[in-house]
Amino acid sequence: MRATFQNLFDSLNLAAFVRTRHAHAVSVARWSAILVPMAAAVGTLCAAFLWSLDAATQARFDHPWFLFLLPLGGCAVGLLYHLFGKSVEGGNNLIVEEIHEPDGGVPLRMAPLIFLGTIVTHLFGGSAGREGTAVQMGGSLASAFGKLFGVDAAGVRVLLMAGIAAGFGAVFGTPIAGAVFALEVLAVGRVEYAALVPCLLAAVVGDWTCQAWGIHHGFYHVDFLAGGAKALTVDPLLLAKVALAGVAFGLVGLLFAEANHLLGGWLKRLVPYGPLRPVIGGLAVIGLVYAFGTRDYLGLGVSAADAGGMTINTFFGPDIHPWSWALKILFTVVTLSAGFKGGEVTPLFFIGAALGNALAGLLGAPVDLFAALGFVAVFAGAANTPLACTLMGIELFGATHGVYLAVACFLAYLCSGHNGIYLSQRIAVPKSAAANISDGMTLRQARTGRVPTVAPLAERPITEETS
């Protein structure tokens, strides 16, 4: 009799196990059927964007007089957003807000508007990036796929995160960093693990698709400590220098974010009519070009019209350039705060690599290593994403430098304060116990001292189906 009951119990457990696994398999198949084509579409759009960006940059190199059309081009894009894009002017912050509080999704018009706006910015010489475009295209397409497949609000949150991961992974060729960035950028001090697998799948598919279209990403080489038994050693004196540099990287990330917010807010108060602000910004950029006698700080900063021009690769040595980081901040802040489209990340790579180059000269440290550290650490401080930036450094520069990368990124994160380039980020874990921060407060509220009126992200669960 005991054996009969035991057999019955075992069969019931087996049946329950089979039902659970079957339900899990159906959920995985359903989500894969949504995520794979969505990520492939994002990767394709990113490939078209990167190709167009290269063509626009080359056209500007071939025709230097295009710079004088920057105010007119900015006005045209500003007018386009004024007439058709008021609902998407929030950009990356709109996507973060939609993930925190789903409210109808991200309008599909965000993708073509940001695509066109960024190309115009780079065609005529604005100093901007490309990550904002990729993330916004990813979020826009992800939201459209959610509506197409009738995904519920909790599922839309996952799709939006996956869209961010696909766009970020495709545009930089760093799928692991793209996946973690999408999970980490939502809240300061916490990673949203519930969407880990969807984000990783989307980032990998997006990157594969972008590469399948023949897009190649920049290569940065760090010779320091490469090869041999010396490869995995950590020098205490060098680590102390890295820690000092990490503090500087965080402070410069804070400087960039705060300067962008302050100048942008001042221009909005001074010039309420949106299409006019890029005209002023374009004229200011032209003035900066002639004031400093160089065009090296226009555009992305990954290529130059002349062989001796400043690019990100320039800062990997051997020459030291003490003030290039400050000039790139100036050109980029003027461009973005005036309303030109693009993003902050690639300029932050330039600023970080240039600052690392300058600090290497000051501290007597390896130039290529410190340029690599600054490349990711200034971004870590400005975006409050130290884990994603550490992984990006490993993907770009190799695991040999993992300890130095982690120290620089996490110290930059701690030293950048409760501020950043994405003001819709929620604060889950304050960086300082002494900080007057309420649970769930956004960075925007932290800057103004307002008390949040919405529940923190931790109180908004994701259903089991989407995990």
Side-chain angles (χ1 to χ4, degrees), residues 133-324:
T133 307
V135 166
Q136 290 174 51
M137 291 191 301
S140 178
L141 287 181
S143 182
F145 269 77
K147 292 176 182 177
L148 178 65
F149 287 92
V151 179
D152 61 15
V156 168
R157 291 189 63 215
V158 174
L159 270 179
L160 288 174
M161 285 185 269
I164 292 174
F168 194 99
V171 83
F172 292 124
T174 53
I176 299 176
V180 176
F181 175 82
L183 305 172
E184 192 178 23
V185 74
L186 303 179
V188 176
R190 185 174 62 244
V191 177
E192 185 74 67
Y193 281 106
L196 179 61
V197 174
C199 285
L200 181 59
L201 174 62
V204 171
V205 172
D207 180 43
W208 279 349
T209 304
C210 190
Q211 291 189 51
W213 283 105
I215 298 299
H216 302 288
H217 301 282
F219 178 73
Y220 306 99
H221 189 65
V222 179
D223 289 321
F224 181 72
L225 292 184
K230 195 179 178 183
L232 297 180
T233 61
V234 176
D235 179 75
L237 178 59
L238 179 58
L239 191 62
K241 294 179 181 180
V242 169
L244 287 174
V247 173
F249 294 145
L251 293 176
V252 168
L254 173 62
L255 170 65
F256 176 88
E258 189 62 20
N260 209 27
H261 300 322
L262 287 174
L263 184 56
W266 179 77
L267 280 173
K268 287 179 181 178
R269 291 190 299 271
L270 182 67
V271 187
Y273 185 59
L276 187 56
R277 291 194 290 270
V279 176
I280 297 172
L283 291 172
V285 169
I286 294 172
L288 289 173
V289 166
Y290 283 91
F292 291 101
T294 179
R295 298 187 180 215
D296 287 348
Y297 304 103
L298 302 176
L300 284 173
V302 298
S303 58
D306 303 316
M310 294 289 178
T311 67
I312 294 175
N313 259 316
T314 301
F315 304 117
F316 283 75
D319 297 331
I320 301 299
H321 305 276
W323 297 108
S324 288

Side-chain angles (χ1 to χ4, degrees), residues 35 38 44 46 111 127 141 179 209 213 278 298 301-302 335 360 367 391 448:
L35 286 168
M38 182 275 291
T44 298
C46 284
S127 176
L141 287 181
T209 304
W213 283 105
L298 302 176
V302 298
T335 299
V367 174
L391 292 172
T448 60

